[in-house]
Amino acid sequence: MKYYIRTFGCQMNVNDSEKMAGILQSLGYKPAEDWSEADVILVNTCSVREKPDQKVLSALGEFKKVKKNNPSAVIGVCGCLAQRAGYEILQKAPFIDMVFGTTNIHNLPKLLQQAKLGNKAIEILEEIDENENLLNQYPTVRENKYTAYVTVIRGCDKKCTYCIVPYTRGKERSRRIGDILREVQFLVEDGVKEVHLIGQNVTAYGKDLGDVKFWELLVAVANVKGVERIRFTTGHPKDLDEDTIKAMADIPQVCEALHLPIQAGSDRILKAMDRGYTQRDYLQKIELLKKYIPDIALSTDIIVGFPGETYDDYLETVRVLKEVRYDQVFAFKYSPRPGTPAALLTSIAPEEKASRWLSDLINMQKEITFENNLKYQDRVVEVLFEEKKEDGQLVGRTRTNKLVYSYGRDNLLGELVEVKINTVNRFSMEGIILEA
Ligand code: 5AD
Ligand code: SF4
């Protein structure tokens, strides 16, 4: 029996899919090379913008064909779109056998059994399933041997007016620290060197537990023997405090990289988004980060064309990009999400204007990214090699998350190696391995 999983959306979905693969493998399933030979197809969906919504439906249309040769094949849909609109999807695609929400993933074995008996297996709860943590007991099946995601908090208590996530993923629930450390320990024993702590809002970690702070989690993870690098995503600027920034600077394994979404530069738009900070507040956090961690690589998310955004508002976003000089910017055109407060606003910036602003912004950022990368020329950096290409080239990442290609021996895979950068390209770098 074989399974195939198609994942849309963020790292949380990727990690949930890794867990689902873990569940299926524990039931004896093997991964299929291609969806057409699978006995179980799972589509893990995203609902953050309209585009991913549409992609899901077209993927389902394709996967439907699996039943031609294999009528007993099971097709399941889960993730954020399933949570928000599972019954609607079922109407549009009645051939689906299984639909389950974001907090019911641990019930996959039960649901699968039901579906295989020919019954529709549906589990979309309004409330968070109190047994959701049972999911943590399953191993993750990872593509990457040396780096691993660890979910530390689920859900989000912020109510940004454009965002669907609080409705699809529920309120903030931090995992117990002991539970997280056990998973990290297990991963290290499995060969993992870099641990990537993830959550919709990791910087809020511990608030709901009351007795532990995010920086303490960082210390605890760093104390697990064998953890050589730590990253975390995504943090809300409002919850990023000086203690966390100090911990990032003091803990040797925490990488000099941070994704800190600003969304917009204009105070008026930030207010309409209910982000809870002004441009000045945000830039003060950036200043603090650069003070404690001078080499930090910063990245961000931007929304262009929020209802009511004017050209002057947009220019404030451009101003921030020029001032911060991010290493990477993920920019999106605003997409109204049903049920969110912003979806009721009618003054949406004209499509054509928003598209032009977006492409101008992306082009400007490309240059900044390249200029930042050029500073790496002739520098010696630490690289964790993760993969070997067919032509023998090793591929890895710096602590600042830059992609580096080098030629070297296989046994350097999974090792932290010093590399002298000799070529800087737009999206990657090449270098010479300095042997110890
Ligand atoms: N429209 C466009 N982009 C959005 N994002 C979240 N909601 C929307 C929306 N309605 C973006 C934000 C967030 C990223 C994951 O997706 O920038 O940080
Ligand atoms: Fe998409 Fe947000 Fe759900 Fe992640 S949490 S899958 S980005 S809607």
Side-chain angles (χ1 to χ4, degrees), residues 383-395:
V383 176
L384 172 62
F385 284 114
E386 298 167 19
E387 197 194 326
K388 189 182 164 197
K389 293 271 167 214
E390 272 174 16
D391 67 352
Q393 227 176 6
L394 298 173
V395 192

Side-chain angles (χ1 to χ4, degrees), residues 146-359:
Y146 308 107
T147 73
Y149 289 135
V150 176
T151 296
V152 299
I153 180 171
R154 293 181 176 272
C156 180
D157 283 357
K158 299 276 184 296
K159 285 274 166 9
C160 303
T161 56
Y162 52 81
C163 188
I164 194 83
V165 173
Y167 310 93
T168 62
R169 292 248 175 205
K171 64 176 187 337
E172 285 165 3
R173 291 97 68 203
S174 302
R175 263 175 85 183
R176 289 262 159 216
I177 210 161
D179 186 28
I180 295 171
L181 296 180
R182 259 193 303 280
E183 182 166 355
V184 171
Q185 180 71 48
F186 179 84
L187 289 166
V188 168
E189 283 164 14
D190 196 35
V192 167
K193 301 290 171 72
E194 179 178 305
V195 178
H196 195 152
L197 310 177
I198 59 169
Q200 267 83 33
N201 186 12
V202 280
T203 34
Y205 176 81
K207 276 187 175 176
D208 55 322
L209 298 175
D211 54 356
V212 56
K213 300 232 162 50
F214 179 61
W215 69 266
E216 292 172 304
L217 174 67
L218 288 177
V219 173
V221 171
N223 283 335
V224 176
K225 206 165 172 281
V227 172
E228 304 212 24
R229 280 180 173 185
I230 302 172
R231 302 185 192 277
F232 60 90
T233 351
T234 300
H236 191 290
K238 223 181 136 186
D239 297 322
L240 180 73
D241 53 20
E242 191 160 354
D243 285 341
T244 300
I245 298 176
K246 274 190 197 154
M248 288 176 71
D250 291 344
I251 302 171
Q253 295 107 313
V254 176
C255 292
E256 296 78 22
L258 187 68
H259 184 68
L260 198 64
I262 184 167
Q263 311 297 1
S266 146
D267 287 347
R268 210 174 61 82
I269 297 298
L270 285 170
K271 193 146 186 251
M273 291 177 162
D274 205 4
R275 288 289 288 172
Y277 54 82
T278 60
Q279 183 192 111
R280 189 154 174 268
D281 298 334
Y282 180 91
L283 290 176
Q284 277 172 351
K285 296 260 157 116
I286 296 287
E287 211 174 293
L288 211 54
L289 280 161
K290 286 183 175 172
K291 182 180 119 191
Y292 280 105
I293 312 158
D295 267 346
I296 193 163
L298 294 161
S299 56
T300 201
D301 288 344
I302 302 279
I303 297 176
V304 173
F306 186 81
E309 188 171 34
T310 63
Y311 185 61
D312 284 343
D313 291 319
Y314 161 76
L315 288 181
E316 287 300 309
T317 303
V318 172
R319 204 176 89 87
V320 172
L321 260 55
K322 284 188 173 151
E323 178 158 343
V324 178
R325 297 185 64 78
Y326 295 101
D327 283 88
Q328 214 175 357
V329 171
F330 302 89
F332 315 97
K333 208 189 312 172
Y334 170 70
S335 166
R337 303 284 65 214
T340 60
L344 302 173
L345 304 171
T346 47
S347 53
I348 297 182
E351 174 75 19
E352 168 200 328
K353 232 179 6 190
S355 299
R356 198 174 58 239
W357 294 351
L358 182 68
S359 69

